[in-house]
Amino acid sequence: MIELETPPKRTPPAPPASLEHRRLRDGAFWHALPHYAGIDEATFLDHHWQARNSVKTPEELFETISAVVDDAFIADARQGFEHAPMAVRVSPYLLASIDWSQPYTDPIRRQFIPLLSTARADHPRLTLDSLHEQEDSPVPGLIHRYADKALFLPLQTCPVYCRFCTRSYAIGPDTAGVDKLELGKTPDSWAPVFAYVAAHPEIEDIVISGGDAYQLAPKNITLIGEALLAIPHVRRMRFATKGLAVMPMKILTDQPWVDALVGVVDHGRAMGKEVVLHTHFNHPNEISAITERAMDVLFKRGVYVRNQTVLMRGVNDDAATMLLLVKRLEYINIHPYYVYMHDLVSGVEDLRTSVQTALDIEKAVRGATAGYNTPTFICDAPGGGGKRDVHSFEWYDRDTGVSVWTAPSVKPGKYFLYFDPLNTLTPTMQTRWSVPELQDRMIADALAHAGGTVAALA
Ligand code: SF4
């Protein structure tokens, strides 16, 4: 009897849409913005040119985009800046990545250029330093909250200023509404930080943030890296920069900066210590063929890169966009590490989402790619509870928008509250939040359901 061979099972070819993450914007895309129509590739890729031509005042911005937006948009943005907690700084790369045919809805515009017309009232329980970082700062420029980890803020400037910055209390120049807190920002002022870390043997892990490590001169990347590597108990370091998302060409044209970073990474590896880069992409449109080339340089030189995204309304708060971002990041060798709930930052309520949105998107993303490349969705518990998995709330009232969190390994016995944005609640509930006594009652009720009390609030 002849046995018939079962033909191998074939899966149908992947539909083209599933490969969308590989389609990266290429060519001279910046020519679409008339202000940059005469800029050749060598100039556009020059990081000095990008830094010099980043818009640093609203008027510079309006001049750059005047050919592609109308007067109503400019008036709207001018008033938006008057009320914004952050100063303006946007790179030509970002301005050229915005679809100016849709200026009101473009996800990159929403992150960097405020509009009065879309502004929403702050939640009444929102504060400027929502994470209470200054309470955990033993010396200026250092936050020591988790036993084995510290956050070093060596400078207060960034290559761009994001509307939603958690550290709007300190980052960038003063604005009409906010006098920025002064942090240490010169090599002399860093000495107490190194001394504190050296005197605390429990600290194994340092995040060097700010501000942004892109703004550190190469000699200071080396100075900071070597000073921390020389402390025996420091085992891990992360240089944090948004630069890859907003000015990727620096990796291609700033050889001294890349060499300084690689020097610290290589020295750390030789010592058995890990030094990596942490970056911050929020939307797939921030990734272009220039980013891919920059990542090729870092990957081939042995620099591991992780990404931290902020979940924002109208930017990445739908499953398809978040999935495309995750797939595009992993495609260019960036590890999609975290997606944060938007912190309770003043002046950007139009960008915040509810906890429920994070739960829904996490459910849609999980399983769509490898587990190690699936980001963990977290809420940085306001009041200093640290990062909590969004599923780990003790209680969540979707009607009042109050969620209650605990952090047993950070602040045992304490309770932390996160508030969904008012404008995602029903009109009745929004009215309740306008009455202070009712606010207190809604909070007390939520705490009671979670097994806590107002007295145990952090
Ligand atoms: S790059 Fe980071 S630190 Fe700088 S403004 Fe943006 S979010 Fe804040």
Side-chain angles (χ1 to χ4, degrees):
M1 187 173 142
I2 301 168
E3 274 192 22
L4 291 174
E5 232 177 61
T6 316
K9 197 174 168 200
R10 293 193 192 283
T11 47
S18 71
L19 303 179
E20 175 64 18
H21 61 281
R22 299 183 192 170
R23 289 191 341 118
L24 302 176
R25 203 170 58 259
D26 204 354
F29 58 85
W30 54 91
H31 287 174
L33 191 55
H35 196 78
Y36 302 140
I39 304 300
D40 61 24
E41 183 175 18
T43 304
F44 194 75
L45 293 187
D46 177 359
H47 70 100
H48 288 304
W49 183 87
Q50 286 282 331
R52 263 199 317 273
N53 288 277
S54 291
V55 296
K56 298 175 192 75
T57 65
E59 294 314 316
E60 281 177 18
L61 170 69
F62 302 146
E63 191 188 323
T64 305
I65 61 174
S66 60
V68 288
V69 294
D70 59 20
D71 291 348
F73 180 89
I74 287 183
D76 202 350
R78 183 173 278 118
Q79 289 177 295
F81 279 117
E82 281 167 13
H83 295 87
M86 293 298 287
V88 60
R89 183 182 281 185
V90 194
S91 62
Y93 174 79
L94 276 184
L95 288 173
S97 301
I98 292 172
D99 176 359
W100 287 105
S101 70
Q102 313 283 339
Y104 286 91
T105 54
D106 183 273
I108 298 177
R109 193 287 301 161
R110 282 180 65 77
Q111 298 177 63
F112 297 96
I113 303 171
L115 298 179
L116 186 68
S117 62
T118 52
R120 299 287 175 265
D122 280 352
H123 194 285
R125 295 298 168 121
L126 194 147
T127 57
L128 198 56
D129 174 16
S130 80
L131 302 181
H132 291 197
E133 288 189 326
Q134 288 313 301
E135 291 173 13
D136 293 315
S137 179
V139 288
L142 190 81
I143 314 295
H144 187 197
R145 169 170 299 158
Y146 305 90
D148 69 346
K149 185 182 109 176
L151 171 63
F152 177 25
L153 309 173
L155 75 172
Q156 290 174 271
T157 58
C158 301
V160 295
Y161 291 129
C162 315
R163 290 182 54 212
F164 51 89
C165 183
T166 296
R167 298 198 184 94
S168 54
Y169 66 87
I171 298 301
D174 293 345
T175 60
V178 183
D179 290 335
K180 308 284 170 161
L181 187 78
E182 191 71 14
L183 304 176
K185 55 189 178 196
T186 59
D188 285 348
S189 66
W190 301 335
V193 170
F194 301 143
Y196 179 92
V197 174
H200 286 76
E202 69 275 22
I203 299 177
E204 295 183 353
D205 189 347
I206 308 273
V207 181
I208 301 130
S209 184
D212 191 299
Y214 243 40
Q215 303 298 99
L216 287 168
K219 66 175 190 230
N220 288 333
I221 294 270
T222 305
L223 186 159
I224 291 170
E226 293 300 332
L228 293 171
L229 284 176
I231 298 172
H233 50 266
V234 171
R235 303 283 302 162
R236 300 173 292 281
M237 256 192 265
R238 313 171 231 174
F239 283 95
T241 175
K242 193 166 171 60
L244 271 171
V246 301
M247 207 183 283
M249 53 281 292
K250 182 177 170 86
I251 304 299
L252 302 175
T253 57
D254 192 349
Q255 197 67 35
W257 192 90
V258 175
D259 287 345
L261 177 69
V262 171
V264 178
V265 170
D266 286 348
H267 189 199
R269 188 177 298 114
M271 297 171 78
K273 301 186 178 197
E274 182 192 71
V275 182
V276 302
L277 203 63
H278 271 206
T279 192
H280 178 181
F281 288 87
N282 292 322
H283 191 276
N285 291 359
E286 292 158 10
I287 302 174
S288 68
I290 302 172
T291 329
E292 185 182 36
R293 286 167 57 196
M295 273 309 301
D296 276 350
V297 169
L298 294 178
F299 190 74
K300 285 176 184 157
R301 295 195 67 182
V303 181
Y304 187 76
V305 183
R306 298 190 189 109
N307 185 65
Q308 305 188 159
T309 293
V310 178
L311 181 62
M312 282 179 276
R313 205 178 335 169
V315 175
N316 54 19
D317 65 334
D318 65 280
T321 301
M322 187 62 78
L323 192 54
L324 183 58
L325 174 62
V326 167
K327 296 279 293 175
R328 203 163 268 178
L329 286 169
E330 64 179 342
Y331 186 65
I332 61 168
N333 291 317
I334 296 178
H335 175 202
Y337 169 44
Y338 271 152
V339 175
Y340 287 82
M341 291 293 303
H342 196 302
D343 289 326
L344 295 170
V345 178
S346 179
V348 280
E349 284 295 85
D350 57 312
L351 290 178
R352 282 206 305 125
T353 68
S354 65
V355 170
Q356 186 60 49
T357 304
L359 296 172
D360 292 342
I361 296 179
E362 198 277 346
K363 190 183 282 184
V365 170
R366 186 158 294 280
T369 189
Y372 67 89
N373 267 336
T374 303
T376 304
F377 284 62
I378 54 164
C379 176
D380 211 340
K387 298 167 189 66
R388 317 309 302 168
D389 186 312
V390 283
H391 296 91
S392 68
F393 50 78
E394 304 295 331
W395 174 257
Y396 177 26
D397 186 328
R398 280 129 176 113
D399 292 331
T400 62
V402 181
S403 48
V404 184
W405 310 76
T406 57
S409 58
V410 185
K411 293 190 176 165
K414 290 291 181 193
Y415 287 77
F416 307 86
L417 302 172
Y418 186 85
F419 303 98
D420 288 350
L422 286 185
N423 50 83
T424 62
L425 308 178
T426 62
T428 310
M429 198 53 76
Q430 291 182 38
T431 307
R432 293 191 71 191
W433 277 106
S434 64
V435 183
E437 304 82 61
L438 293 181
Q439 292 172 13
D440 291 342
R441 197 178 310 158
M442 288 186 277
I443 288 170
D445 283 351
L447 282 164
H449 278 287
T453 61
V454 174
L457 274 180

